Amino acid sequence: AQSVTQLGSHVSVSEGALVLLRCNYSSSVPPYLFWYVQYPNQGLQLLLKYTSAATLVKGINGFEAEFKKSETSFHLTKPSAHMSDAAEYFCAVWTGGFKTIFGAGTRLFVKA
Amino acid sequence: KAGVTQTPRYLIKTRGQQVTLSCSPISGHRSVSWYQQTPGQGLQFLFEYFSETQRNKGNFPGRFSGRQFSNSRSEMNVSTLELGDSALYLCASSLRQDQNTGELFFGEGSRLTVL
């Protein structure tokens, strides 16, 4: 069975600082991995996805993530935080079939 | 292309009542998943339908049920509502076909408050 662990339910950074949101997964087969973002009172939207084509994945709004099989990690980064990045971020894993598993989410706060 | 549409967006019910939520997927998507989102439990998988058949189910009591119609629209029903059912219910559609990457497209959710 697959699972996702997001380290830190809340992360606070200053505007312009590096954003690092951590995600570790467990899967018995090669996974597809995703990061989604949720703004207040909205559904989730896809930031980026890993589909085995390249280990470093670039997404929207300057975010990127690196798939590290040896560490079973898929951490999300952004070099410089912007106030508009404040939101909740979810890591997810899919191994085919009919179920996507989400992590508990990390709420990102950006201080001026 | 229109996105995923969920109705109603907000609703208030009392304990013991039942509720039906609707989800219209993106045109061409045959899979619809439902999730319950609460502050304490995060995103919990309810079930996923594909081609009118429930393909997977999460760990929820039988009070939670769903169905999918031939046009891929889906409904979920919660009977005998409890206070703990207050949540944001999210619907997501996907292709779920061969060579698909599994990306989910979410609606804005239906926020249910049980009093």
Side-chain angles (χ1 to χ4, degrees):
Chain A
Q2 62 264 41
S3 65
V4 178
T5 302
Q6 291 185 240
L7 300 176
S9 59
H10 297 83
V11 169
S12 181
V13 301
S14 298
E15 194 172 21
L18 171 72
V19 175
L20 171 60
L21 305 181
R22 300 178 186 273
C23 172
N24 288 89
Y25 70 92
S26 172
S27 175
S28 56
V29 299
Y32 292 103
L33 297 164
F34 308 85
W35 276 99
Y36 290 85
V37 61
Q38 184 180 34
Y39 298 102
N41 298 316
Q42 293 186 25
L44 281 68
Q45 63 184 79
L46 184 71
L47 265 182
L48 50 79
K49 60 185 176 184
Y50 166 74
T51 61
S52 77
T55 57
L56 183 62
V57 181
K58 294 186 185 299
I60 62 172
N61 301 337
F63 284 93
E64 63 181 39
E66 185 173 8
F67 173 69
K68 292 188 177 181
K69 184 177 178 181
S70 61
E71 299 176 9
T72 61
S73 68
F74 190 57
H75 302 331
L76 181 71
T77 61
K78 181 174 180 177
S80 177
H82 192 271
M83 296 297 288
S84 61
D85 295 327
E88 189 154 20
Y89 293 80
F90 293 91
C91 183
V93 61
W94 179 64
T95 55
F98 297 98
K99 186 176 184 179
T100 299
I101 300 297
F102 286 84
T106 298
R107 185 166 296 277
L108 176 66
F109 297 92
V110 182
K111 299 174 292 186
Chain B
K1 186 185 263 192
V4 178
T5 303
Q6 289 189 248
T7 57
R9 289 291 316 278
Y10 302 91
L11 66 167
I12 300 173
K13 294 286 188 178
T14 57
R15 280 180 298 174
Q17 287 187 310
Q18 73 165 9
V19 66
T20 299
L21 308 178
S22 179
C23 174
S24 293
I26 291 172
S27 177
H29 286 191
R30 292 162 60 191
S31 167
V32 173
S33 306
W34 288 91
Y35 290 83
Q36 181 194 66
Q37 186 178 23
T38 57
Q41 300 296 318
L43 274 167
Q44 300 292 311
F45 173 76
L46 280 156
F47 27 65
E48 179 163 345
Y49 286 85
F50 181 82
S51 294
E52 302 178 65
T53 301
Q54 187 180 94
R55 303 295 178 140
N56 210 335
K57 187 177 188 301
N59 188 26
F60 278 83
R63 301 186 297 107
F64 292 81
S65 63
R67 58 178 176 169
Q68 187 180 34
F69 302 96
S70 58
N71 62 357
S72 294
R73 190 178 70 85
S74 177
E75 290 180 347
M76 68 162 284
N77 182 275
V78 188
S79 62
T80 319
L81 283 166
E82 301 176 359
L83 295 179
D85 297 333
S86 295
L88 181 67
Y89 290 88
L90 290 164
C91 162
S93 77
S94 177
L95 287 169
R96 289 291 199 236
Q97 295 167 353
D98 290 345
Q99 308 305 315
N100 176 246
T101 61
E103 177 181 353
L104 297 178
F105 297 82
F106 283 85
E108 293 190 306
S110 292
R111 184 166 295 281
L112 170 65
T113 301
V114 182
L115 301 177

